[in-house]
Amino acid sequence: MTFHLESIVRPKIYNLTPYRCARDDFTEGILLDANENANGPIPFELRDTDLNRYPDPHQIEFKTLFAHYRNSKDNTANVPDLSHKNLCLGVGSDECIDALIRACCKPAVQKIMVLPPTYSMYSVCANINDVDVVNCPLIVEDNSFQMDVKRTLETLKKDDLIRLLFITSPGNPTGKIIAIKDIIYVLEHWKNGLVVVDEAYVDFSTYFNEETKKTEYFSVAKLVTKYPNLTVLQTLSKSFGLAGIRLGVTFASEELARILNAMKAPYNISSTTSNHAIKAVQPESLRLMEDNANEVNKEKYRVLEALTALPLVDDQYVGGLDANFVMIRINKGDNELAKNVYLSLATQSKVVIRFRGNELGCQGCLRITIGTPSENDQLIAKFSETLSTLSK
Ligand SMILES: Cc1ncc(COP(=O)(O)O)c(C=O)c1O
């Protein structure tokens, strides 16, 4: 079984010639090539910046530093290193998701497959592009929220119009890493499309293994250099705390990254975004990001312990603890009470969490993002108060 990218990507996109500008060849001197405003930016406070100039369309400095970081935090053995040529950047990973769907699915013909419960933007983007969505649930009955590998492969093989399989790992709202061996099994047994692993939360799933005395990493980003049918999405919105700059990253084979780069709007990453992103991947910032993820993880256990000790909150949390949130179940799956807790917390206590009780396998569930220690203290206090008021 072999994989041919040419048969997966829509022909006009596969053969795209990227937009070129004079700045691709010349960046210095009197720049009168791009119809910018040479008098400088408005308003006045921005006069000292270069915001009157278009940003760099290629972003090689950021890509090189980020690829280098992922190479250094990897447990997958014997795989060639990533380079900047394996990356394409988007306006958040939401743009990366949309780009993959547009690249591979002919509207009203080809399809994507998702594994519910999962992040809803895959279906939203598919609908916008007039692309049908096939659902193949995760295993929810045993709270494992793992991929049902047999059923997933059977579903993929039954329908040769499916071009993309979206796997969220760690999952949202499940907070659970999908077993890497299962992802590899699917990569090795399905070559009729791309496997897209969305790793938005992966930096919260780093663990120190007490037995081996080694740190374990769960990203499969580096595997794109081995499996041309794999793409991996990451974002600076979560562990880097930079949701406002909107920067998402697609890792792909060099061949696919070239196509995605040819396809994107040339200046999709603003100079402001790029400046912040380059600072975020300097060694000192990376250490800070890791320390911060460790702090969030510690708080996660504290919040979980406090909430599951409350009456009417089930002892067993739902899903995993591999992301920056927890999911708890109210009174063995009481959707009405869970929804009331959610509404009352938001309106009376100004604490906003997320009701997830309508998601597959999540009846009665609330998803709670881990905040700062003082926000978490308030959440715990208000949650407890709200539950006791509502259950009177
Ligand atoms: C699984 C998953 N992927 C992607 C995103 C979107 O990330 P971005 O801010 O990079 O668009 C989210 C946001 O919540 C998410 O949960």
Side-chain angles (χ1 to χ4, degrees), residues 92-94 119 168 172 198 200-201 235 237-238 246:
S93 29
D94 286 343
Y119 183 51
T168 321
N172 176 7
D198 183 343
Y201 300 96
T235 176
S237 297
K238 311 294 178 183
R246 310 302 301 128

Side-chain angles (χ1 to χ4, degrees), residues 70 73-76 177 180 199 202 205 217-223 232 234:
R70 290 304 175 205
K73 305 283 165 180
D74 181 83
N75 287 140
T76 51
I177 280 283
I180 294 183
E199 296 187 337
V202 78
S205 67
Y217 303 101
F218 290 89
S219 173
V220 292
K222 215 174 141 186
L223 288 180
V232 176
Q234 291 182 0

Side-chain angles (χ1 to χ4, degrees), residues 74-108:
D74 181 83
N75 287 140
T76 51
N78 303 324
V79 179
D81 272 355
L82 297 159
S83 83
H84 69 86
K85 293 187 181 154
N86 295 108
L87 275 70
C88 178
L89 307 185
V91 180
S93 29
D94 286 343
E95 190 185 48
C96 304
I97 294 166
D98 185 62
L100 284 167
I101 294 177
R102 280 188 293 134
C104 301
C105 303
K106 189 171 168 186

